[in-house]
């Protein structure tokens, strides 16, 4: 059978994830310290796991409403109102999804007609480009720069807007740079979205993980923006719940209804056990979440300090749990640096170009790993850089 001919052109044309390629090399090597996977090193807080166990014990093993349990949507609405300052009606403006991943896919498929352009900032999360392509959209990336601390500049965004632009994807704090948006620049971006009638897909999955004084501002909270924003959030990062696969979208009712149409046929609903755990996370999880955040904060300060000491220029990212040091001084490409570091010192980090061309010359290191491992990894990177 000629399977190649059987695969859709759309699927055949999307690239494999650069992260996956790199990590296939590391698989099965216990000696390697991995700064690669973007995942908390904490297990989900015990009381949240317990809520999942109790839910099973009580025999709650059914489907839920397609939108998600109403009790959870009410709690999401309360949390979002308190955290982001935007009010959403639990009955019609909140959709519980299988992670932010599913919400991204639903939103793009609900919004795009073939050939519509979607702008996103890069370097960015590896799923954005393929998700746009799979929804028959045209991905248009706007590079962000180290000189701007990887924030998106409104002027660069404006230059990329065409009559075909339908959607702007934002992700602050950003995977892989940890960048946050200065509120004044975000206001300029909001004004452009209103001027050009764009819908914004705002992936704020790292919004609780902010380390400096400035508070997180969602573009949805700016004047005139709630009506054109799909706010995406979830439980994977701040609550250390990646395996529960739970996220949500908040948006005006007609947009939620369009996303729900796809969700009800493709997924039916998010798993009820995960929804029970998420309810507990929102009701009682803030202390555990803040403890984890404080721990990431200490690790960020340590890693940024060490990388700069080593001579790899590294800005101090305002959020998420990644650092994105500049490795250009070494004369190596991102891929060469990552491969040689792995060969010589058994430390795995992701080449910056896996997140788009704008990431060339950088390395993504996830610092959600133990302090001991981070210390050892930094010493090994030091030795490696000195050996060049
Ligand atoms: N969005 C960003 C920016 C991410 O970094 C990730 C995971 O790394 C996701 C979405 C996926 O999140 P979820 O586990 O909720 O599907």
């Amino acid at each position: 059978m000629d399977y190649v001919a059987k695969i859709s052109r759309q699927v055949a044309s999307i690239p494999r994830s650069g992260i996956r390629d790199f990590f296939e090399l590391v698989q099965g090597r216990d000696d390697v310290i991995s700064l690669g996977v973007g995942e908390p090193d904490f297990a989900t807080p015990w009381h949240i796991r317990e809520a999942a166990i109790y839910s099973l014990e009580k025999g709650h093993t059914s489907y839920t409403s397609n939108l998600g349990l109403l009790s959870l949507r009410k709690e999401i609405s309360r949390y979002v109102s308190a955290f982001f300052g935007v009010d959403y009606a639990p009955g019609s403006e909140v959709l519980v999804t299988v992670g932010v991943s599913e919400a991204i896919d639903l939103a793009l498929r609900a919004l795009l007609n073939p050939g519509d352009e979607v702008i996103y900032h890069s370097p960015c999360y590896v799923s954005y480009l393929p998700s746009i392509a799979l929804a028959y959209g045209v991905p248009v990336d706007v590079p962000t720069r180290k000189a701007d601390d990887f924030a998106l500049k409104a002027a660069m965004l404006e230059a990329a807007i065409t009559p075909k632009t339908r959607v702007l994807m934002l992700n602050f704090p950003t995977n892989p740079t940890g960048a946050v948006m200065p509120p004044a620049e975000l206001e300029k971006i909001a004004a452009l979205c209103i001027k050009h009638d764009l819908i914004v897909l705002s992936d704020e999955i790292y919004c609780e993980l902010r380390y400096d004084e400035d508070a997180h501002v969602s573009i949805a909270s700016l004047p005139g923006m709630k009506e054109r924003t799909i706010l995406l959030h979830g439980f994977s990062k701040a609550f250390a719940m990646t395996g529960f696969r739970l996220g949500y979208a908040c948006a005006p009712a007609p947009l939620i209804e369009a996303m729900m149409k796809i969700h009800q046929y493709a997924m039916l609903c998010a798993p009820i056990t995960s929804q029970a755990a998420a309810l507990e996370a929102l009701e009682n999880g803030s202390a555990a979440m803040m403890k984890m955040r404080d721990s990431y904060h200490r690790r960020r300060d340590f890693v940024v300090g060490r990388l700069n000491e080593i001579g790899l220029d590294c800005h101090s990212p305002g959020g998420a749990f990644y650092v994105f040091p500049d490795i250009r001084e070494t004369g190596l490409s991102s891929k060469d640096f990552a491969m040689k570091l792995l060969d010589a010192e058994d430390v795995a980090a992701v080449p910056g170009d896996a997140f788009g061309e704008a990431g060339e010359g950088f390395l993504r290191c996830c610092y959600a790993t133990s302090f001991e491992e981070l210390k050892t990894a930094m010493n090994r990177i030091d030795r490696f850089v000195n050996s060049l």
Side-chain angles (χ1 to χ4, degrees):
M1 167 95 64
D2 178 5
Y3 288 111
V4 173
K6 299 285 180 209
I7 307 284
S8 91
R9 281 192 294 279
Q10 205 67 10
V11 171
S13 70
I14 60 170
R16 273 163 60 100
S17 158
I19 298 191
R20 193 172 135 197
D21 282 347
F22 189 69
F23 278 91
E24 276 179 9
L25 297 171
V26 179
Q27 289 255 309
R29 287 189 53 185
D30 297 341
D31 47 334
V32 170
I33 297 181
S34 176
L35 308 179
V37 183
E39 176 157 45
D41 62 327
F42 297 103
T44 306
W46 172 241
H47 66 99
I48 299 175
R49 281 184 271 158
E50 230 174 13
I53 294 165
Y54 289 155
S55 152
L56 284 170
E57 257 178 13
K58 286 182 213 142
H60 294 165
T61 54
S62 61
Y63 294 132
T64 69
S65 148
N66 295 135
L67 288 170
L69 291 169
L70 183 59
S71 52
L72 175 59
R73 283 181 279 139
K74 281 185 179 161
E75 202 51 35
I76 289 171
S77 169
R78 185 200 59 75
Y79 183 84
V80 168
S81 174
F83 191 90
F84 299 93
V86 195
D87 293 324
Y88 292 97
S92 59
E93 296 185 319
V94 180
L95 171 64
V96 178
T97 58
V98 178
V100 171
S101 303
E102 192 214 350
I104 292 170
D105 182 50
L106 295 178
L108 290 168
R109 287 206 276 160
L111 294 171
L112 298 181
N113 287 307
D116 286 344
E117 291 178 3
V118 179
I119 298 182
Y120 60 96
H121 49 97
S122 77
C124 73
Y125 179 46
V126 290
S127 89
Y128 287 1
L129 185 150
S131 299
I132 297 164
L134 286 171
Y136 297 93
V138 178
V140 177
D141 72 322
V142 174
T144 57
R145 299 172 301 204
K146 181 178 145 199
D148 305 318
D149 286 343
F150 296 103
L152 175 62
K153 299 303 277 185
M156 291 181 71
L157 168 63
E158 185 156 34
I161 295 173
T162 76
K164 288 189 176 168
T165 311
R166 288 282 307 275
V167 176
L168 169 66
M169 290 180 81
L170 296 178
N171 170 227
F172 293 101
T174 308
N175 174 7
T177 59
V180 298
M181 275 301 285
E185 203 63 26
L186 196 64
E187 281 169 22
K188 287 190 206 163
I189 287 169
L192 283 176
C193 293
I194 293 170
K195 181 174 158 197
H196 295 277
D197 195 21
L198 307 183
I199 295 283
V200 179
L201 210 53
S202 189
D203 174 352
E204 305 189 32
I205 191 164
Y206 295 101
C207 65
E208 290 93 349
L209 304 180
R210 293 282 303 251
Y211 309 115
D212 300 320
E213 265 88 80
D214 44 339
H216 178 78
V217 177
S218 170
I219 196 162
S221 69
L222 300 181
M225 288 308 292
K226 182 195 161 187
E227 66 194 63
R228 59 177 65 253
T229 302
I230 302 179
L231 173 60
L232 307 181
H233 196 15
F235 298 86
S236 288
K237 310 295 174 166
F239 292 103
M241 289 174 65
T242 49
F244 283 88
R245 309 304 308 122
L246 213 73
Y248 52 89
C250 297
L255 299 182
I256 289 294
E257 177 62 22
M259 290 170 67
M260 212 275 284
K261 270 195 200 164
I262 310 169
H263 174 75
Q264 71 185 357
Y265 295 125
M267 206 61 70
L268 218 159
C269 66
I272 191 169
T273 317
S274 299
Q275 293 193 52
L279 190 57
E280 172 65 19
L282 292 182
E283 283 174 344
N284 298 307
S286 75
M289 188 257 284
M290 277 171 352
K291 225 169 128 186
M292 292 189 272
R293 184 193 60 197
D294 291 348
S295 162
Y296 297 136
H297 188 170
R298 287 193 293 279
R299 294 185 241 180
R300 177 201 69 166
D301 291 349
F302 168 73
V303 169
V304 169
R306 278 296 280 133
L307 287 168
N308 282 305
E309 256 170 41
I310 291 166
L312 298 178
D313 190 20
C314 184
H315 87 295
S316 181
F321 37 50
Y322 309 104
V323 287
F324 208 57
D326 186 341
I327 52 105
R328 287 174 293 187
E329 284 271 298
T330 64
L332 297 176
S333 69
S334 291
K335 267 202 193 72
D336 283 349
F337 187 102
M339 288 302 299
K340 286 179 196 254
L341 176 64
L342 180 62
D343 280 348
E345 294 289 352
D346 299 324
V347 174
V350 187
D353 66 334
F355 307 93
E357 264 171 49
E360 177 51 51
F362 297 84
L363 192 71
R364 188 192 78 171
C365 306
C366 173
Y367 54 83
T369 190
S370 76
F371 231 107
E372 277 319 300
E373 288 213 310
L374 284 177
K375 279 185 194 156
T376 311
M378 291 302 127
N379 291 342
R380 291 185 188 181
I381 292 176
D382 196 358
R383 197 160 56 199
F384 172 70
V385 170
N386 274 315
S387 75
L388 291 174

